[in-house]
Amino acid sequence: MESSPSKTKYIFVTGGVTSSLGKGILAASLAKLLQARGYRVTIQKFDPYINVDPGTLNPYEHGECFVTEDGAETDLDLGHYERFLNVRTSQANNVTTGRIYSTVIQKERRGDYLGKTVQVVPHITDEIKSRFVKLAESGDYDIIITEIGGTVGDIESLPYVEAIRQFKWELGAYDCLVVHLTLIPYLKTSEELKTKPTQHSVKVLLESGVQPDILVCRTEYPLNKAIRRKLALFCNVKINAVIEAIDAQTIYDVPLHMLKENLDKVVLAKLKLATKNEPQLHDWKAFLQKLKNPITEVSIGLVGKYTELPDAYKSIIESLKHAGAHNECKVNIDLISSEFITDENVGEKLRDLDGLLVAPGFGARGIEGKIAAIRYAREQKLPFLGICLGMQCAVIEFSRNVLGLSDAHSTEIDPDTKNPVIYLMEGQREVTHKGGTMRLGAYPCELKRGSKVQGIYGGHSILERHRHRFEFNNRYRKDMEKAGLKAVGINPDLDLVEIVELEGHPFYIASQFHPEYSSTVLTPHPLFVHFVQAANLFKQIIDR
Ligand code: GLN
C-alpha cells in the first residue's frame, strides 16, 4: 500500500425502502474488497431492538443466533463478516439498543450524570458514538464498517441516525462516510425501474441531517445512465457514487459485482486513501469457480424444527456450501421438519439422501423425529453429522435402541427420566436467568488418538464454539463406548464429552459444539468437508 492511513476511517451502512436488502452482505463485500487491497478492516452491527442480545430470540424472529469465540450471542450478520473476511469478531462487534440503554442506566445509577436529566440526546447518542469507535482502540484497524440494522425512518433507528449525523460532523468529510443501501423496484406493467422510493428514503435521512455519500441500489435489472443520473440529481450524490447491486447468483458473487461497479474505489477516494494496490482476490475467485462448476452432486437432509425459515440455519447452510465447493461437489440441501418424521415414514422421507445433518435446537418439539432420523442413519450407514442437540439426540437414540434403555432421554425434555443420558451441566444448576447464561464461546477439546475425528482435524487439540446448557452424562460413558459409541473429543478441564463417533459406520460423528460457526470461504471446516466427502462416497456405492 502506498500510504497507510494515520487514523481509523469509518463507513456506515444504512438501509432504505425495505428490510432484507442484504446490508450485511453489502458490508461484508465492501470490507472484503478493502481487505483485498491491503487494508485492515472490521465490521460491526448495531441492532435497534431492545433485547440486550439476540440470544433469547426465537430463530423465527431474526434467524440464527451467531456465537463469537469470546462467547457473545450475536446477529447472524456477524457470521457473514467472519465467513467473508476470515477474521474473528467479538462481543464488541454487535451492539443493541438494549445494551446501550442498560449501560446508560447503570451509569445514571452510579451517579455519573449527577444533577443532569438523562436524555436520548446527548446521553444515548454519546453512548452510541463511543461504541462506534470502540474497536479502533486496539489500533488494529484502518477502516471500521458499521452496519445499522433496520430501515431508516423506523422509530427505533432515530438515535443511530442522529449519532451518525453528529459523528460525521465531528470527524469531517474525509474520515467518515455513509453508504445507503436501497431498492429500485421494477414495475412489470409499465416495464420501468422506479427511483421514487429511493428518493423518499434519502429524504428521510436528509430530514435527520445525514447526506448519504454513496447509494447502492438493489435491482433486478441493470441501471441505465438516465436512471443513474436521475438518482444522482435527486439524492445529491455524484453519478459514480450510484452503485448498481443487481441480483446475484450467490452471495459470494457480490464482492465481484461491487468491484465491477468500483464501489471500493469510490469509497477510498472519498476517504482520501490510496487505491494503488489491485485487490488480491485470487483465492476468492478460485472458490467461486469451484462453487459454480461442480463435478459431483449430493443431497444432504438438514433435519430441524425451524425449517420454514432457512436463515435459522444460516451458518450450517453456508458451511455446507464451503465444503461442497472445496470438494467440487454441488450440495443440495433438503430442509426437513423433524416434527413430521416418525418411525413409520422415516425410510421414505430420507430414502433419497446421501447424508443426514441433525441441527441444533431447544425444547421438545420435533425431538422424536430427530431421534428416528438418526436411528435410520445409524442402521442404514447413511453419513451422519449431529450438531449440539443433534449430538444429544444421537446419544438418546443409541441408549434407547442399542443399550436397551427404552426411557433414556435428556432432562431438558423429560426431567424425571430414569435414564438421564443427557443432563444439565454442573455449572448450570443454579442459573435462573435466561439471557447470556448458557455455556458460550470457544473451549478447548482434546481428540482421542486413532479416532476418525483426529484424522479429520489432523491434530489433537482443537478449539470450538459452544452454546448449550445440557451435556453428555458421563455415568453412561463406559457402556456406550463398549457398545460402539466412542467419546472421541473431551474437554480437558471439565472432562465433558464434546464429540462422539460410531465404530463400524462410514461416517457417524456428532459434536456438542458448533463447527458451523467457524467455517469460512477460504477455510472450510474439516468436519463439513469430510461429511460431504462421505456423502459423495455413499452416493457412489449405494444401490437405489
Ligand atoms: N438444548 C440443548 C442444550 O441446551 C442444545 C442446544 C443447542 O443445540 N444449541 O444443551
Side-chain angles (χ1 to χ4, degrees):
M1 201 189 309
E2 194 180 43
S3 65
S4 70
S6 55
K7 56 179 170 181
T8 310
K9 308 268 184 173
Y10 297 88
I11 299 171
F12 293 93
V13 176
T14 57
V17 182
T18 172
S19 58
S20 304
L21 291 181
K23 284 194 298 290
I25 302 295
L26 171 65
S29 300
L30 173 57
K32 182 79 217 164
L33 295 181
L34 298 172
Q35 184 195 52
R37 284 184 182 274
Y39 287 99
R40 300 169 305 157
V41 192
T42 190
I43 319 179
Q44 53 187 349
K45 169 111 194 240
F46 282 51
D47 276 309
Y49 49 69
I50 295 172
N51 304 62
V52 171
D53 63 42
T56 49
L57 289 175
N58 186 319
Y60 285 130
E61 296 276 323
H62 291 272
E64 151 193 296
C65 172
F66 185 77
V67 177
T68 59
E69 274 193 352
D70 67 350
E73 295 179 289
T74 73
D75 183 79
L76 59 72
D77 275 338
L78 269 77
H80 290 309
Y81 307 162
E82 291 202 6
R83 290 188 282 272
F84 274 59
L85 298 185
N86 225 29
V87 295
R88 300 291 180 235
T89 56
S90 70
Q91 195 88 45
N93 291 72
N94 194 190
V95 175
T96 66
T97 294
R99 202 173 284 282
I100 299 277
Y101 269 81
S102 89
T103 309
V104 169
I105 290 167
Q106 267 172 35
K107 286 185 184 170
E108 188 276 332
R109 292 288 81 187
R110 211 164 56 204
D112 290 14
Y113 310 114
L114 222 49
K116 294 269 184 323
T117 307
V118 180
Q119 295 180 295
V120 174
V121 182
H123 302 100
I124 295 295
T125 48
D126 279 353
E127 187 58 36
I128 293 173
K129 284 190 291 177
S130 79
R131 307 280 179 140
F132 284 167
V133 298
K134 195 146 198 272
L135 288 167
E137 286 164 10
S138 66
D140 289 344
Y141 303 111
D142 304 316
I143 301 167
I144 294 176
I145 300 180
T146 303
E147 177 195 344
I148 307 292
T151 308
V152 299
D154 295 348
I155 292 174
E156 291 95 332
S157 301
L158 280 174
Y160 294 96
V161 176
E162 168 60 12
I164 294 173
R165 182 193 69 77
Q166 295 175 16
F167 192 74
K168 209 174 178 219
W169 183 75
E170 286 158 7
L171 254 69
Y174 306 127
D175 292 333
C176 171
L177 64 78
V178 175
V179 178
H180 190 54
L181 177 64
T182 171
L183 175 71
I184 310 292
Y186 178 75
L187 287 195
K188 232 197 233 153
T189 41
S190 57
E191 298 182 351
E192 265 184 307
L193 287 167
K194 304 303 282 183
T195 64
K196 193 74 83 190
T198 297
Q199 294 178 39
H200 281 293
S201 92
V202 170
K203 212 180 260 170
V204 170
L205 270 178
L206 287 170
E207 277 165 12
S208 300
V210 173
Q211 166 67 56
D213 299 276
I214 296 170
L215 292 180
V216 176
C217 307
R218 279 291 305 272
T219 172
E220 287 174 56
Y221 296 95
L223 303 182
N224 62 28
K225 256 269 158 58
I227 293 211
R228 288 180 194 246
R229 232 183 266 125
K230 191 170 175 186
L231 282 163
L233 181 70
F234 282 101
C235 303
N236 327 313
V237 297
K238 293 261 159 51
I239 189 150
N240 73 347
V242 176
I243 305 288
E244 170 192 292
I246 201 147
D247 290 354
Q249 194 186 335
T250 133
I251 54 170
Y252 300 113
D253 276 327
V254 179
L256 300 182
H257 284 192
M258 293 300 102
L259 181 69
K260 211 168 109 232
E261 286 284 300
N262 290 322
L263 174 63
D264 55 329
K265 280 194 184 148
V266 176
V267 162
L268 292 171
K270 284 193 186 291
L271 294 176
K272 291 235 178 305
L273 292 172
T275 51
K276 221 181 154 214
N277 288 351
E278 275 314 303
Q280 299 299 310
L281 289 164
H282 181 79
D283 293 348
W284 190 269
K285 288 180 183 164
F287 161 80
L288 271 173
Q289 174 71 16
K290 284 189 179 175
L291 184 72
K292 292 183 178 180
N293 299 287
I295 298 166
T296 55
E297 190 168 346
V298 293
S299 292
I300 302 289
L302 172 49
V303 170
K305 68 171 178 180
Y306 309 111
T307 44
E308 299 93 316
L309 184 74
D311 267 4
Y313 301 115
K314 193 83 211 164
S315 292
I316 292 177
I317 292 171
E318 296 310 314
S319 300
L320 286 169
K321 284 188 199 160
H322 306 155
H326 184 89
N327 287 305
E328 295 178 86
C329 171
K330 180 169 188 226
V331 178
N332 299 308
I333 302 169
D334 193 359
L335 287 159
I336 305 170
S337 171
S338 54
E339 266 190 284
F340 305 110
I341 301 178
T342 61
D343 286 333
E344 289 69 44
N345 68 16
V346 65
E348 182 198 326
K349 281 203 180 276
L350 308 191
R351 190 177 44 210
D352 296 331
L353 299 179
D354 307 309
L356 169 74
L357 197 158
V358 176
F362 295 84
R365 183 165 67 90
I367 280 280
E368 293 303 325
K370 288 182 172 178
I371 293 171
I374 295 169
R375 177 180 194 167
Y376 175 87
R378 180 175 57 76
E379 292 177 346
Q380 301 301 316
K381 300 217 180 323
L382 175 69
F384 163 64
L385 183 62
I387 300 180
C388 206
L389 184 61
M391 169 189 136
Q392 298 175 354
C393 288
V395 170
I396 297 167
E397 190 280 316
F398 193 81
S399 309
R400 287 185 189 174
N401 302 318
V402 179
L403 298 186
L405 308 172
S406 57
D407 62 345
H409 222 318
S410 162
T411 55
E412 177 180 6
I413 321 294
D414 178 2
D416 302 320
T417 173
K418 294 259 163 10
N419 283 296
V421 290
I422 301 293
Y423 70 162
L424 198 59
M425 293 182 65
E426 177 86 45
Q428 288 289 331
R429 302 209 176 125
E430 306 302 316
V431 172
T432 50
H433 281 42
K434 291 274 184 273
T437 55
M438 281 188 250
R439 179 175 180 235
L440 291 166
Y443 287 91
C445 172
E446 295 294 325
L447 304 179
K448 282 270 157 67
R449 279 170 208 280
S451 63
K452 188 172 272 163
V453 283
Q454 190 229 314
I456 288 174
Y457 276 94
H460 295 293
S461 304
I462 57 170
L463 196 70
E464 293 280 8
R465 299 182 212 184
H466 296 253
R467 182 173 188 246
H468 65 118
R469 292 187 202 281
F470 295 82
E471 65 166 27
F472 183 102
N473 186 343
N474 274 328
R475 195 151 56 103
Y476 296 89
R477 187 148 138 196
K478 245 204 200 118
D479 291 346
M480 300 242 193
E481 295 215 311
K482 224 190 276 158
L485 191 66
K486 304 281 184 194
V488 290
I490 306 291
N491 172 279
D493 304 314
L494 298 173
D495 194 33
L496 302 176
V497 174
E498 310 280 39
I499 315 179
V500 294
E501 67 182 39
L502 185 64
E503 245 177 11
H505 190 289
F507 191 102
Y508 180 109
I509 294 174
S511 66
Q512 184 57 74
F513 55 76
H514 294 255
E516 73 275 20
Y517 292 144
S518 50
S519 179
T520 73
V521 166
L522 299 186
T523 51
H525 194 287
L527 281 180
F528 283 92
V529 168
H530 285 260
F531 176 51
V532 170
Q533 265 168 25
N536 237 326
L537 211 63
F538 180 84
K539 188 176 178 182
Q540 281 167 32
I541 57 174
I542 190 78
D543 185 13
R544 273 200 256 263

